[in-house]
Amino acid sequence: MIVDCAIYRDGRRIEGPEDLSDALDEARAQGDSFLWIGLHEPTEKEFDLVTHEFGLHPLAVEDALKAHQRPKLEVYDDSLFVVLKPVTYEPHSDTVSSGELMVFVGDSFVVTVRHGEGAPLSSIRHELERRPEMLRHGPTGVLHAIADSVVDHYLDVATELGTDLEELEAEIFSPSGGARNTASRIYSFKRQIQEFRRATVPLTLPLTRLAGLGPNVAAVPFVKDEGRPFFRDVNDHLTRVNESVEGLDRLVSDILSAHLAQMSVRQNDDMRKISAWAAMAAIPTMIAGIYGMNFDHMPELHWTWSYPAVIAAMVVLEVLLYRLFKRRGWL
């Protein structure tokens, strides 16, 4: 469905024709105007009209309708196609979820297609309408504002993930050692980080091209040269995000390894305690077994003090073993 459609002239929103073709013609008739259409999870029938009026490439249209794309930048003859993946994080369930945001940029028009509930574009549109100096840059300003908003939210998500990871780390290395499902929680947290990486890492190349960085980087059509410094700033923020994500991923792996080592040490401690008690139980069992064989020629059986002597020997041996194991930390 079409969420919003407006013509912007000299950074200001103006009323335009309801017909998309007439609105685009009016925007192109004025050198400082452009048309911005926002759609949310459009059907193929709803998108056909936009495709026809703006001459969008069929491959890009297919990607915009089916979603499930990696962040990328595609250059076609009549438009520029950019895919972004906004990310949201629910701290109560430690769940990272991502949506998809497609942006078509062409001659005097911007078409945005949103899938999922993340990163609503209405707030970005309203913020731009309060800053006409950004809207004067045309479609380049809109593309920058969208990319900047998405990447800035990445920074917020990375910070929240780092905070929750610190809490999980403190719980794991507490004297109680955490809950029984600690390993599964760590692994689940690692999966959420991988979901986050799938949104941030592939975006590096598109932003690098938009920023004009690297050797032999050709200018991206439909993006003004004066917009490159702004995209370089967004790219710097994305670099910080990717560094944070890499650090979180390594830290989670280290925590998981440390937790498994901690569990192994505890199991060894338990086995030593069990072995120590088994050794202490074996002494009286062995003595009782020897004197329970009922042989006729066992002179100790006929002594008056044989029973108290055997009991005393058992007690002394048990005390000696207990002190030995206690000193060595087995008990």
Side-chain angles (χ1 to χ4, degrees):
M1 58 177 293
I2 296 179
V3 178
D4 201 351
C5 177
I7 296 176
Y8 294 90
R9 180 177 300 164
D10 192 28
R12 302 291 181 181
R13 180 170 180 151
I14 63 173
E15 296 297 330
E18 295 183 0
D19 183 81
L20 294 182
S21 180
D22 294 340
L24 182 59
D25 291 340
E26 180 175 333
R28 285 175 173 171
Q30 302 291 332
D32 57 351
S33 302
F34 69 95
L35 176 65
W36 182 1
I37 299 177
L39 301 99
H40 180 229
E41 298 182 355
T43 64
E44 185 175 353
K45 183 177 180 180
E46 290 173 337
F47 207 55
D48 281 343
L49 177 61
V50 177
T51 302
H52 175 73
E53 295 295 341
F54 294 90
L56 304 179
H57 197 279
L59 292 177
V61 171
E62 181 181 359
D63 290 343
L65 289 174
K66 293 185 177 180
H68 303 294
Q69 304 295 317
R70 285 166 53 91
K72 62 180 180 178
L73 183 151
E74 298 286 351
V75 178
Y76 298 102
D77 293 336
D78 298 324
S79 63
L80 180 71
F81 180 57
V82 181
V83 178
L84 304 167
K85 292 184 73 69
V87 169
T88 57
Y89 179 62
E90 178 53 53
H92 299 292
S93 59
D94 295 340
T95 302
V96 173
S97 58
S98 60
E100 291 196 30
L101 187 56
M102 289 80 169
V103 184
F104 294 88
V105 177
D107 180 19
S108 301
F109 73 85
V110 177
V111 177
T112 55
V113 183
R114 183 167 60 91
H115 293 266
E117 299 301 324
L121 290 176
S122 58
S123 59
I124 300 176
R125 187 187 288 262
H126 294 157
E127 177 65 23
L128 282 174
E129 289 176 355
R130 289 193 294 268
R131 301 174 61 190
E133 69 277 5
M134 292 298 298
L135 281 174
R136 289 192 182 99
H137 292 284
T140 301
V142 175
L143 179 59
H144 165 263
I146 294 173
D148 187 53
S149 176
V150 170
V151 174
D152 283 348
H153 193 63
Y154 286 165
L155 290 170
D156 297 336
V157 172
T159 301
E160 293 177 357
L161 283 171
T163 301
D164 286 354
L165 185 57
E166 290 177 0
E167 295 176 355
L168 181 60
E169 183 181 14
E171 179 183 343
I172 291 170
F173 294 106
S174 65
S176 60
R180 292 184 178 180
N181 62 340
T182 298
S184 62
R185 288 180 59 197
I186 297 174
Y187 183 72
S188 175
F189 202 94
K190 188 175 180 65
R191 290 187 63 185
Q192 304 310 314
I193 293 177
Q194 292 302 319
E195 178 70 19
F196 192 22
R197 290 184 65 180
R198 282 192 286 270
T200 63
V201 174
L203 187 57
T204 302
L205 182 58
L207 282 181
T208 300
R209 293 181 61 187
L210 289 171
L213 300 175
N216 302 323
V217 177
V220 179
F222 309 109
V223 175
K224 297 179 180 179
D225 291 340
E226 57 266 28
R228 288 188 174 189
F230 296 95
F231 286 109
R232 282 199 291 270
D233 180 68
V234 178
N235 189 60
D236 289 341
H237 291 175
L238 182 64
T239 300
R240 289 173 51 196
V241 171
N242 286 329
E243 290 174 352
S244 299
V245 173
E246 290 293 336
L248 289 172
D249 188 52
R250 288 195 299 269
L251 184 57
V252 170
S253 297
D254 293 342
I255 290 175
L256 181 59
S257 299
H259 174 68
L260 296 177
Q262 189 180 46
M263 295 299 296
S264 179
V265 170
R266 289 178 180 174
Q267 289 176 353
N268 289 336
D269 290 340
D270 293 340
M271 289 302 300
R272 283 189 298 180
K273 291 179 182 180
I274 294 172
S275 299
W277 287 112
M280 292 174 63
I283 295 298
T285 301
M286 180 186 67
I287 295 175
I290 291 174
Y291 289 103
M293 291 187 291
N294 295 323
F295 290 128
D296 291 334
H297 301 287
M298 294 183 70
E300 299 94 321
L301 297 177
H302 303 289
W303 291 353
T304 302
W305 297 98
S306 59
Y307 176 74
V310 169
I311 296 299
M314 291 182 181
V315 172
V316 170
L317 290 174
E318 290 295 300
V319 171
L320 291 176
L321 284 176
Y322 180 82
R323 295 184 63 182
L324 175 63
F325 292 143
K326 192 71 173 178
R327 186 181 305 164
R328 294 186 176 181
W330 285 37
L331 292 174

